[in-house]
Amino acid sequence: MSEPRNVEPAAEASRVTATLRVNGEDHTVVFPVHHTLLEVLREGCGLTGTKHGCELGECGACAVLLDGRPVLSCLVLAAEAAGHEVETVEGLQEGNRLHPLQAAFADLGAAQCGYCTPGILMTAKALLAQNPEPTAEEIEEALAGNLCRCTGYRKIVQAVAWAAAILRGEEERPPEEAFLGSPLPEVRR
Amino acid sequence: MKRREGLAKLTGREPYVDDLPFDGGLWGATVRSPLPRGRIREIRFGAGVDWSEMIVVDHRDVPGRNVIKLIVDDQPVLAAGEVRHVHEAVLLLAHPSRALLRRAVRAVEVVVDPLPPVLDYRRPPAREQIQHGDDNVFKRLAIDKGDVDAAFAAAAHVVEGIYQTGAQEHVYLEPQGMLAWLEGEGEREVVVVRGSMQCPYYVHEALCYALGRPAERVRVIQAPTGGGFGGKEEFPSGVAIHAALLALKARRPVKLVYERGEDMAATTKRHPSWVRHRTAFDAGGNLLAQDVEVVLDAGAYVTLSPVVLSRGVIHAAGPYRCPNVRIRGRAVLANFVPAGAFRGFGAPQTLFACERHMDRCARVLGLEPAELRRRNLLRDGDATATGQRIDDGTDREALLDRALKLAGWEAKRTAHRSWNAEQPFRRRGLGLATFFHGAGFTGAGEVYLASRAHVAGLADGRVEVRTAATEMGQGTITIFTQIAAARLGLEPEQVVIAEPDTARVPNSGPTVASRTAMIVGRLVEKACDDLRRRLGVGDAAPGAAVVEAIRAWHRQHPGEEPVGEGRYEPPPGIHWDEEHYRGDAYGTYGWAAYVAEVEVDLRTYVVTVIDFVAVQEVGKVLNETLARGQIQGGVVQAIGWALLEELKVEGGAMRNNQLTNYVIPTSEDVPPIRVAFVENPYPHGAQGAKGIGELPMDGPAPAIANAVADALGVDPCAIPLTPERLMALVEGEDEAPVAGAA
């Protein structure tokens, strides 16, 4: 698929050629030296899963992993990312197998409009790598820089905890009340 | 059933408009007014830009009417001579380089000779501020029931209060964006627009009007939409026209995507409100009369304000039995970005006033808040303010009791008393709101819309659901799959949901007003039934027979397809008198009782919601995961409106148009949100569904403010309850209500 090119006239900016390692693949790209990792991922590498939300580091929609640490790709110069491992949402699944985070988000309906989802998945992946058994509070703290306007966050926090349990090899999923408050009795007429 | 488009969203493959390729295309940008009101004297194109390589569009390039078509023809596509608000679109630019484009936007100077603006909608305008009619009032509405004056004369108690709510920005995570291009040539040239929107046919109609084109020469396709909340109801029409004008002038594709700061500053907001209640009770705490005045800040142009006001006044008296009601509403001009659709559509504002006022009344009457509501909640056989008889079998007192029980109201009240006495700096409180939300369009709106839905049999035996209803995160694709699969006896994967494309789907109305599952879903059911009829397959025949009949039909009619159609018909017995605002304002209502528990830190005046219970009756719940998601998401958006989100406006412009200083709730700001549904199927909604999406926006703000009142013994009458506002309230410096609004 051809990609939208943010065509810069040659005179506009000095351009650099760099090789970015993204999701284990090398991408050799030419871009103006001031371009951010977000711009080069989307426009140079054709990886549009990482989203523009504000370009000011305020919303978290553009979060990716740089050597396993979550960064806001709108605040990182692409040139700085050369020589480091970049991970984006496109690299989360292995072959046809969803990452446990993706599976848990799907099961719980933790993605609604989906625009914040890639950034949240990557931030959560970094959290679980560092803390395999986070409490609800630790998940909330780790995701506090990722804005979501649809879900109210409860299902997201719950999905991250479910994924953590799967990654620990546990059969049992943590009980709902740990994330949603004490369970309510079923109400039907 | 899991969300059907979920996997695309979870793997980064969902193609939002910003992700769409457009080889050889240009980026578009908008030059805006610097002042809230004035006459454009001159537009200066500054140095440092090669203007010969820039596409420039102004109002003279609008081939049809220079109007963004909606209700009243007052809002120009591009300002021609006069501007009415800061950030009003004046000029459009396009260029292949985004960097050069940004520089060019900065290099244009729009010179405006200022005129006196209206900067506070609550004050009566001076003569030189009049810009609409003779008083700047866009719309007036009145509801009258019984004899209010006589009831006040006989009242045991009269309670008054003034309540105010602020503007709110939608903050959909995906900013506004459109891609426009041309297909075909000469007489057959079609303008195609694909982008982020809730209402493809609104965009289509607005494009035809502004471009002066017949319907068949404009095509609108919804791209996956990253949140809407009403912010992509009417506003995208203007963005689409702008992108199309640039594409027509450049003869190349043009993509126009707003930056966050531009989106926050220049797009519609929730209407600020000023509401006065005067309420009469008998000695037993029964409502005798409600006298309510509602004023909405409409901003600079009419947009949807008449209908927002309509929903606002109809909900202003709350879900209560009251024999005498007088409601007067008006939507007035101010020189600020137009207010527009936002989840709840006027009802959150008037229900905030109503429910906050009920707590004030309870205190004056010496009753528990729950008890006052229990005495006055509508029972079957009672009538609303417009005289609509409610007879749906829902027990609204039981809904309230269940919410109190689930919240542990009594036990918490007791615990709070001792906790508050022991804590030096913290106070806890509980607050309640009982409320309702009319589902679907108001009054005769659904009849005027005359919506249609199609279900087609495809050659491979699958069916395709064709509607204009859009997916923006709420779950349309999943719900329509469930509805069609159940109606035809098919598996979900045998159902295809068509992309909302005006060249392929009928006009099933806008994706607004909590109407998609209930009303359009019902049309999908009817279209399924019609398809069965056309195929000669009985209503009870299994899915395999439907599939076989579709395949057989294709064998017998090569090159054609069987299409079933569902057309809207009002439920029997619905009567609405638009002139007198009497009768059945909605086909049905969702009902709810919410309880908020808050903790206030007296050192910082920060209010934290620590527990939340949401009990509602929304007919039949079609998909529990999606329904809970709607409630939780709505509650959190309302927590933001109640406590955090405040527009800082200076000189008629939003100054905090960034997410660092316009603060929305984060994952750390939300309490446990416990959701319970009482089911009471509505016979005229798909599978018994009523609307759900807006209801959770109505109740949280008054419940939270009532909880703060309970915690501190103060009487908050305005939101957002920011620390600054709460400190002023506690320390006795509450802002005085503006007298001029009377």
Side-chain angles (χ1 to χ4, degrees), chain B residues 683-707:
Chain B
H684 307 292
Q687 295 182 12
K690 296 180 185 175
I692 182 171
E694 293 169 288
L695 187 72
M697 191 72 219
D698 293 338
I704 289 165
N706 287 338

Side-chain angles (χ1 to χ4, degrees), chain B residues 465-477:
Chain B
V465 177
R466 295 174 186 160
T467 78
T470 53
E471 169 71 59
M472 51 181 149
Q474 84 284 40
T476 302
I477 292 172

Side-chain angles (χ1 to χ4, degrees), chain B residues 71 141 234 270-271 294 296 302-314 331 339-342 344-347 349-350 442 586:
Chain B
I71 294 175
L141 288 173
E234 77 279 19
R270 182 183 299 287
H271 291 70
V294 176
L296 295 183
V302 172
T303 69
L304 291 165
S305 293
V307 259
V308 173
L309 180 69
S310 168
R311 189 176 280 275
V313 295
I314 289 169
F342 197 146
F345 210 72
Q349 291 94 319
T350 56
T442 304
Y586 299 95

Side-chain angles (χ1 to χ4, degrees), chain B residues 210 240 286 457 571 597:
Chain B
N286 300 300
E597 184 181 16

